[in-house]
Amino acid sequence: YSWDGNGSYNKLPTIPQAILTLWQSLLVETTIKTTTESNASWDEITDALEHISPDSSRDEWVQVGMALHDAGVHTNNPELALQTFNTWSAQSETKYKGEQDILTAWNSFKPSSGISLGTLFHLAGQNGYKRPLPSAAELFAPINETKQVEAPVDIMNGLRPPAPDIDLSLWPDVLATRAQEVSEGVGCDPIVPLFAGLGAVCGAVDARIRLEIVDNFLVPPVLWMMTIGDPADKKSPGSVPMFSVLKEIELEDRPRFAQEYLAWEAREAAYKISKKVFLEEAGSAERLLDPTIPLPTVPTLDGQPVPLKITVSDITSQKLVRHAAERPRGLLCYLDEMNSWVKKLTDRSSSEDRSTWTVSYESKGYEMDRVGAGSIHCDNLAVSIYGNIQPKVFKRNVHNLAEDGLVARFIPGVLRAKYSKKGNPVPNILTSKSVYEQMIRRAYSINDQVYKLSSEAYDVYDEFQDWYYEAKKDERVLNSDDVFMTAFGKAEGTAGRLILIFHLIEDPHNPVVSVDIVERVIKIVKSYIIPSFRYVLGEVAGLVDDSLDVWITDHIIHNAGEVDQLSLRDIKRSARRKLDDLSPWQAEDSVRTSMHMLEQCGWVYLAEDKGKHVVWIINPSLKDTFKEYRNEVIRAKQRQLDSFIDSANAKGKKTPRKFVKGFEELAEV
């Protein structure tokens, strides 16, 4: 600088406010950013130098000079760096040889020497210096002259995703249109009638039909689906209209059954008479004396006709096999409430055979042997399932249902609360009800046959297989939950079954499946079925809790404003239940990985890392950013408290005030 103007620098005038404001805005950045993680202010550097004797060895003296030189380069302030080096060195009465010696050494230092402030703090630490952690106010200070602070990235939607949305444009138009109509009329999530309609198709078609995807890989039109929602989500009203046509088809078959049964009774009567004559002749005295005497013939009696039955409900495995033995075209098990069915299958004292249900998904031959009931043979045991279940029932039983992969066979549909509303019924004459029912009847009339993919469709499915195997490798690398991996392992077959059913809905008389159907089904599998299963296991059942990430983010949000830093030890102690199954090094690595993500998103700053001793500074703005989220949690806790008190009062029990007070304090925290 040079003095340019009248007056004396000893008598400076008052600085104009505009200039003062500008200069102050330029002083916001007080931290020296070096090539390492050892960022510091000049005040910190001065404090550290007080713990290093300038009478140290020549090597240490040079290292201090090189560290200060590096800091001067990065702050574009080499004069201050040189002055600091000179002032520090001058404290030595034996080593300091004057400014010329300082300048000679200084000019020999290179910015790329590799020596930085980290070395300086290390030398100071050896002499008792303990570097203070930076303040949150300094780390997350305004980033420009407008005093705007960059908000931390909102990652909560990524860690706690909502239930996945379903794209109805990908589904067969006749099914999607009818599902939307029922949804509007009833006031329920369209997933309910959509899945119910899909189940109705599975019940109507002959389960001996196959789609040959590749050589020796044939899939049947059998699907298991469940909708997961609260009791008030109108699951029953939304599903019943989609199944009514199946009952009509069963009723329409009664005249056929009555006629065939009457004809069979006539054949049975003739058979009984012929058999009686045969036995009498075979045991006659003449026959005993002359075995060559010819015996009368007995006509063959075929099996007794059975009425058409498409749907069954809460049924035992043994009765299911009996029904299926008489009906090789398959059945649909409609479980309006899956609670009792799940209870039977998960009760170890029950005589229910889970393996029967598992085999029924594969649609193939089966034989059941029972003491007293004998042997029951099925040419084709094929059962599709549509059921409704409540989240708490699913969560309570998911572990048992997962033991043999039973739950992994279901396509889950999580109902979204925003669709549960007052219905707006429309007369059937103004809807596509007749078109939908005509489609179901057409599907019922299709004969047993094998469909194939077109060459273009096969190429698309082959690309899907490549994606699937790469994705499966990624899931294994990420140590995904075993139950999720079991479900993920069925993605190929599930896609094939959906392709076949879509074709039976849209173009059943064409022996070749189009590429359009394959492309749409693959999009559904990728964008809905796999994310839905991940959501169900994570958010609903709590099995897929890769969410140490979720736990840590919640932990930081609820601590923001209360504490300004977290250590590795603090997090491991608080998250011990999440880390119980991990070795010490795995637990530490998991925490570091989660915190690194939050560092990148501006939630925390890694202030100190000394092996086991690691400290992160929390961004104070998180308190305001997630204020509403924190308040929602507090309100939810308060509602739980109110519900508990109301329940206790209803039972005539007085809630201890000490407990209430403690719960209220916890809710506030």
Side-chain angles (χ1 to χ4, degrees):
Y1 296 94
S2 62
W3 184 254
D4 185 17
N6 299 323
S8 168
Y9 61 85
N10 290 323
K11 297 180 181 179
L12 292 174
T14 302
I15 187 171
Q17 184 60 42
I19 296 179
L20 178 61
T21 302
L22 174 61
W23 286 5
Q24 287 176 335
S25 70
L26 298 176
L27 292 175
V28 170
E29 185 61 72
T30 62
T31 301
I32 302 169
K33 303 292 184 180
T34 70
T35 54
T36 70
E37 293 298 324
S38 299
N39 303 328
S41 67
W42 283 107
D43 288 339
E44 284 185 88
I45 294 171
T46 302
D47 290 341
L49 284 173
E50 291 179 359
H51 290 76
I52 305 174
S53 172
D55 291 320
S56 59
S57 67
R58 179 74 179 183
D59 286 343
E60 286 191 6
W61 181 79
V62 170
Q63 287 178 350
V64 170
M66 295 174 72
L68 293 171
H69 184 274
D70 184 71
V73 170
H74 284 91
T75 59
N76 198 27
N77 198 348
E79 293 84 1
L80 179 57
L82 175 57
Q83 180 183 345
T84 303
F85 185 42
N86 186 53
T87 302
W88 172 73
S89 299
Q91 299 175 38
S92 171
E93 298 179 357
T94 59
K95 294 291 182 72
Y96 185 60
K97 299 179 181 179
E99 292 187 0
Q100 188 58 46
D101 186 37
I102 292 290
L103 288 173
T104 301
W106 188 264
N107 292 330
S108 68
F109 299 152
K110 304 296 182 185
S112 58
S113 65
I115 303 296
S116 62
L117 288 181
T119 301
L120 187 147
F121 287 121
H122 175 70
L123 294 173
Q126 290 179 328
N127 293 282
Y129 172 73
K130 186 172 182 180
R131 185 183 176 193
L133 294 176
S135 69
E138 177 185 341
L139 287 173
F140 301 100
I143 58 174
N144 53 46
E145 63 275 10
T146 62
K147 306 295 183 182
Q148 295 296 312
V149 179
E150 185 175 359
V153 177
D154 185 355
I155 59 175
M156 292 304 292
N157 287 335
L159 294 175
R160 288 196 179 279
D165 284 324
I166 196 164
D167 186 354
L168 291 178
S169 68
L170 299 173
W171 294 72
D173 184 63
V174 61
L175 188 60
T177 300
R178 184 58 185 151
Q180 287 178 308
E181 291 171 351
V182 173
S183 169
E184 287 295 324
V186 172
C188 67
D189 193 314
I191 289 176
V192 174
L194 184 73
F195 276 28
L198 196 62
V201 177
C202 293
V205 300
D206 193 327
R208 292 167 293 189
I209 295 173
R210 294 290 185 271
L211 169 64
E212 185 176 35
I213 300 177
V214 296
D215 292 339
N216 300 319
F217 183 18
L218 288 84
V219 295
V222 174
L223 287 175
W224 289 6
M225 295 150 291
M226 69 166 70
T227 59
I228 305 173
D230 294 323
D233 283 338
K234 302 182 180 180
K235 299 184 292 297
S236 298
S239 58
V240 168
M242 308 302 286
F243 294 117
S244 60
V245 62
L246 300 181
K247 291 298 181 184
E248 292 177 5
I249 294 174
E250 290 177 344
L251 290 173
E252 292 166 2
D253 180 69
R254 287 186 177 181
R256 186 275 315 167
F257 166 69
Q259 185 176 3
E260 289 188 2
Y261 186 75
L262 183 62
W264 180 84
E265 284 184 311
R267 293 194 299 273
E268 182 190 32
Y271 170 79
K272 288 180 178 180
I273 294 173
S274 299
K275 183 178 179 180
K276 181 179 179 181
V277 173
F278 174 84
L279 294 175
E280 289 175 350
E281 290 289 334
S284 66
E286 293 83 358
R287 174 71 180 167
L288 293 174
L289 294 174
D290 185 5
T292 62
I293 297 175
L295 292 171
T297 59
V298 179
T300 302
L301 181 64
D302 54 359
Q304 178 179 326
V306 294
L308 175 64
K309 194 166 191 63
I310 298 175
T311 62
V312 294
S313 53
D314 197 1
I315 189 172
T316 65
S317 57
Q318 184 171 331
K319 193 170 183 180
L320 181 74
V321 175
R322 289 191 179 279
H323 277 307
E326 299 168 337
R327 299 168 179 85
R329 66 175 289 128
L331 296 164
L332 169 68
C333 183
Y334 172 42
L335 303 169
D336 185 35
E337 286 293 343
M338 295 180 70
N339 192 8
S340 60
W341 182 80
V342 168
K343 186 176 181 180
K344 284 191 299 185
L345 265 65
T346 55
D347 185 357
R348 298 190 183 281
S349 64
S350 170
S351 60
E352 191 66 12
D353 187 357
R354 287 173 58 142
S355 65
T356 298
W357 290 95
T358 304
V359 173
S360 73
Y361 180 79
E362 305 303 331
S363 183
K364 58 185 181 182
Y366 181 74
E367 190 159 337
M368 173 183 279
D369 291 310
R370 286 287 184 274
V371 176
S375 178
I376 309 172
H377 176 76
C378 289
D379 289 333
N380 183 45
L381 177 60
V383 181
S384 293
I385 300 177
Y386 169 84
N388 301 314
I389 192 168
Q390 297 176 26
K392 63 180 181 181
V393 176
F394 180 81
K395 183 176 183 178
R396 186 170 63 243
N397 295 282
V398 67
H399 285 281
N400 287 330
L401 291 174
E403 288 179 356
D404 52 3
L406 196 72
V407 72
R409 289 169 166 79
F410 281 92
I411 299 175
V414 183
L415 305 189
R416 299 154 294 181
K418 64 182 180 181
Y419 288 102
S420 186
K421 57 187 178 181
K422 179 181 177 182
N424 182 27
V426 176
N428 286 330
I429 194 172
L430 301 177
T431 68
S432 64
K433 180 176 182 289
S434 61
V435 177
Y436 164 75
E437 293 183 349
Q438 184 180 3
M439 178 272 292
I440 296 292
R441 291 176 180 277
R442 183 180 64 180
Y444 173 75
S445 67
I446 301 169
N447 295 324
D448 174 14
Q449 58 185 295
V450 177
Y451 292 92
K452 294 182 180 293
L453 298 177
S454 69
S455 58
E456 296 85 359
Y458 174 79
D459 290 340
V460 171
Y461 187 83
D462 188 58
E463 290 178 6
F464 166 70
Q465 286 183 304
D466 292 338
W467 171 87
Y468 163 75
Y469 285 108
E470 284 300 317
K472 188 158 68 170
K473 289 179 184 177
D474 292 340
E475 296 292 345
R476 285 172 176 163
V477 168
L478 296 172
N479 197 29
S480 294
D481 181 83
D482 290 342
V483 182
F484 174 77
M485 288 303 298
T486 302
F488 192 87
K490 300 186 180 300
E492 280 183 294
T494 300
R497 292 171 186 235
L498 277 172
I499 290 169
L500 173 57
I501 294 168
F502 277 29
H503 183 70
L504 293 173
I505 293 173
E506 297 180 348
D507 195 13
H509 301 301
N510 189 342
V512 179
V513 179
S514 69
V515 65
D516 173 65
I517 289 178
V518 176
E519 288 176 339
R520 285 187 283 127
V521 167
I522 288 172
K523 287 180 181 178
I524 290 172
V525 171
K526 287 183 178 181
S527 66
Y528 182 76
I529 293 178
I530 292 176
S532 182
F533 213 101
R534 194 188 304 277
Y535 179 87
V536 165
L537 293 179
E539 295 299 308
V540 179
L543 281 186
V544 180
D545 216 14
D546 43 321
S547 298
L548 178 62
D549 294 340
V550 172
W551 184 91
I552 287 179
T553 53
D554 272 342
H555 186 65
I556 290 175
I557 287 173
H558 293 298
N559 279 281
E562 305 296 331
V563 297
D564 59 1
Q565 60 182 255
L566 285 174
S567 69
L568 176 62
R569 179 181 297 178
D570 294 336
I571 296 173
K572 288 175 65 177
R573 183 174 60 250
S574 300
R576 57 188 178 277
R577 292 185 179 179
K578 297 283 182 185
L579 305 171
D580 272 347
D581 297 332
L582 303 180
S583 66
W585 72 266
Q586 286 177 321
E588 180 177 326
D589 186 63
S590 297
V591 173
R592 284 178 175 271
T593 300
S594 297
M595 294 299 288
H596 179 70
M597 174 192 70
L598 296 176
E599 291 172 39
Q600 305 302 309
C601 296
W603 285 49
V604 295
Y605 177 85
L606 179 60
E608 188 171 356
D609 188 352
K610 294 181 178 178
K612 299 292 183 182
H613 183 67
V614 187
V615 178
W616 291 273
I617 305 296
I618 300 175
N619 189 335
S621 65
L622 287 172
K623 180 180 181 180
D624 295 327
T625 302
F626 293 98
K627 180 179 180 180
E628 183 55 34
Y629 176 77
R630 288 159 58 92
N631 290 339
E632 283 182 8
V633 173
I634 292 172
R635 287 193 292 268
K637 293 296 183 184
Q638 184 62 50
R639 285 192 294 269
Q640 286 183 349
L641 172 62
D642 294 341
S643 176
F644 173 82
I645 295 173
D646 291 343
S647 176
N649 291 338
K651 295 177 181 178
K653 298 179 181 179
K654 188 174 181 181
T655 308
R657 183 59 204 166
K658 182 178 179 181
F659 173 83
V660 174
K661 183 178 180 182
F663 205 106
E664 289 174 340
E665 290 174 352
L666 178 61
E668 289 177 3
V669 173

